[in-house]
Amino acid sequence: MSIIKLNITNAPGKVTGVKLKCAEDVFYIAAKIKLSDASIISDYASYRNELSMGVTDGTANDATKAISFALFPTNLTGKDITIEVTFNDGTNDIVKSITKTGINFERNIHYVMDFDGTPAIDDFIEVTLSDGAKLKVAKGNLVADGKGGCKIGTDTDGGLYFQFGSLIGWSNTGEPATIVAKPANFDDSGDKAKWASSGKIWQETTGTVPFTTAGSADEIAGIGDPCRYYLGGTWRLPTSTEFGTLFNDKTNYPDTGWKWENTFVSHPSGLKFPASGYRLFNGQLSSLVSGRYWSASVSNTYGYCLSFSESSVNSGNTVSRPIGIAVRCVRD
């Protein structure tokens, strides 16, 4: 085996998990070993694009930690490998990741990696809802991170378009639509990268899907939550009820507590929701003077979404699932 040791500095809490990720299936998860030299017989090997390990951190909340884990020897030279560490500060999960260019991990060698756990600048605003509860809302929509994934954008960026339950992020400009964020195991061969393809919606089979039943056919088929998949930790899609209370369960400005600002709506807390428009069944851009945002709530064959225009707000609108609209994440 190869041993990797993470020397963690500026840890924001106790370590609860470590993951290695790659866009390709490169990690051995099962292999047959030669007894003579412990080399892997690749014909009997199984691969995946992610390795994960739960951690029980018995140390205090010290800023410096060392975590070691083993993996089968494997040549990752030239491949982008993401190391993701989950911390818990006693209240919330905090996920931090770094990406490094891989090397050839040889047998019986110890490798040391430095990992800076400094938390990112706050990327959410906590809002008190109409029912008195508090909700941490991302400052911006999901946007492309330039590496095939997503990150939280600025409060003026319209963000990517997602179909309901899909982990595929489509461009918010240009015709035809293009894929700019996708799950690691997405097969975009043939016509699956086209908007109208029925083979491209439910692609991911390993993501956490908090609004479907664990082990259900929907979960196995990959109906997922892009917030949880791309941001990790406790990030998730909001429910339609949370959207309702966020807008004070009202439909007219200023009863909602929000204000229409020509191309976005704003809240006294500093939150802004751009009028990001959407893509129709054929992928065509439409209605760039209104906003629609998916929730995690379902209504028969439709999905609930937040929608607004210059005249009104509807926190319980239902939209056909193939429509592509923006995503604003929340976290617990």
Side-chain angles (χ1 to χ4, degrees), residues 134-168:
K134 295 183 183 295
L135 185 66
K136 297 174 181 176
V137 185
K139 289 183 178 179
N141 295 345
L142 278 187
V143 301
D145 65 3
K147 301 176 182 179
C150 294
K151 63 181 181 179
I152 295 172
T154 67
D155 59 10
T156 59
D157 195 319
L160 304 179
Y161 295 127
F162 293 83
Q163 294 168 300
F164 186 85
S166 176
L167 299 176
I168 300 168

Side-chain angles (χ1 to χ4, degrees), residues 36 44 65 118 131 150 164 203 228 261:
S36 58
Y44 295 91
K65 297 178 182 292
T118 303
D131 61 0
C150 294
F164 186 85
Q203 290 293 325
R228 183 64 56 86
E261 302 273 8

